[in-house]
Amino acid sequence: GAVVSQHPSWVICKSGTSVKIECRSLDFQATTMFWYRQFPKQSLMLMATSNEGSKATYEQGVEKDKFLINHASLTLSTLTVTSAHPEDSSFYICSARDRTSRETQYFGPGTRLLVL
Amino acid sequence: QKEVEQNSGPLSVPEGAIASLNCTYSDRGSQSFFWYRQYSGKSPELIMSIYSNGDKEDGRFTAQLNKASQYVSLLIRDSQPSDSATYLCAVSSSASKIIFGSGTRLSIRP
């Protein structure tokens, strides 16, 4: 199956700092990538849809100025959590859609963020 | 009504038995259906996809789709303790957006 990588796998930062998470599709081109957040024992929550070369589409309740998304190439999308606060601590997971495979989404391994 | 519904569980099944996971969806225009497995603390992993009515088998897994009833299921034969995880049903809507169910927790007891 297709491979999606995320970096870093975990990060600890101080409150008020910004954190950038990278999501890469390694063996296919992804015009669309998705960013999810998951709190312990809860469901995946879609935050935004990232389209290559255009602005991301954010889900209701997700602050676009706080969660900056850039999808500059067909294999890379980045999520920047700006001015992070302890309540932003969560498991952030990206996925990439493979258009050559009936719109199948493949997930990255996730990034665990802890804000102190 | 949720767009993709699953029983949250936990579903407890003895080792060696068949585990049956069910999912219903609301968008009749849906074309693609997926099952993902998520272990605790890990990201979801695609295990099956199905696009047409009927059964699709892959090893111990069988996906079943009934578009008329808007129902998709996953059967796991000869359940193993390593199958204990949360199983997410996902449906590609007519707008090319994939909607995930909230998942069913499966526990295989030795």
Side-chain angles (χ1 to χ4, degrees):
Chain A
V3 180
V4 176
S5 71
Q6 261 184 264
H7 179 80
S9 56
W10 59 270
V11 59
I12 301 173
C13 70
K14 292 183 179 180
S15 187
T17 60
S18 294
V19 174
K20 180 188 280 190
I21 303 170
E22 291 186 351
C23 177
R24 293 182 186 272
S25 56
L26 297 185
D27 52 2
F28 66 99
Q29 293 184 332
T31 53
T32 305
M33 291 184 172
F34 304 88
W35 288 96
Y36 295 85
R37 180 166 57 181
Q38 189 174 38
F39 293 105
K41 299 190 186 301
Q42 293 189 23
S43 307
L44 286 174
M45 188 195 84
L46 178 65
M47 299 174 68
T49 300
S50 167
N51 297 296
E52 188 266 337
S54 65
K55 289 184 180 180
T57 304
Y58 289 82
E59 296 299 304
Q60 193 172 10
V62 178
E63 298 174 59
K64 61 182 178 183
D65 294 330
K66 179 167 182 64
F67 298 100
L68 301 178
I69 291 172
N70 184 278
H71 192 159
S73 79
L74 287 172
T75 58
L76 173 64
S77 175
T78 61
L79 168 69
T80 301
V81 184
T82 62
S83 187
H85 290 277
E87 57 265 31
D88 298 323
S89 299
S90 188
F91 190 37
Y92 291 86
I93 312 172
C94 74
S95 71
R97 186 160 72 193
D98 183 356
R99 288 204 148 180
T100 65
S101 183
R102 300 285 288 266
E103 308 284 340
T104 305
Q105 277 190 40
Y106 296 95
F107 284 88
T111 297
R112 202 162 295 282
L113 171 64
L114 176 61
V115 184
L116 301 177
Chain B
Q1 182 192 7
K2 289 183 183 176
E3 293 177 82
V4 178
E5 291 212 50
Q6 294 181 255
N7 189 318
S8 62
L11 174 66
S12 181
V13 172
E15 185 175 355
I18 295 175
S20 177
L21 303 161
N22 305 313
C23 173
T24 58
Y25 59 95
S26 60
D27 184 353
R28 280 197 171 275
S30 299
Q31 297 294 322
S32 304
F33 306 85
F34 309 92
W35 282 100
Y36 290 83
R37 177 177 61 200
Q38 186 176 23
Y39 291 114
S40 181
K42 302 292 185 182
S43 68
E45 170 192 12
L46 178 69
I47 53 173
M48 288 286 285
S49 58
I50 186 167
Y51 309 104
S52 54
N53 280 327
D55 295 1
K56 179 182 177 182
E57 189 174 316
D58 183 1
R60 295 187 296 113
F61 299 98
T62 299
Q64 299 175 317
L65 175 61
N66 184 326
K67 289 186 178 181
S69 301
Q70 295 173 244
Y71 177 92
V72 58
S73 65
L74 179 70
L75 301 178
I76 307 175
R77 287 182 301 282
D78 188 23
S79 296
Q80 303 296 309
S82 59
D83 294 326
S84 297
T86 296
Y87 289 80
L88 302 171
C89 171
V91 176
S92 178
S93 73
S94 49
S96 286
K97 189 174 180 179
I98 290 187
I99 309 295
F100 285 86
S102 55
T104 298
R105 269 196 304 134
L106 174 66
S107 175
I108 307 300
R109 55 182 190 272

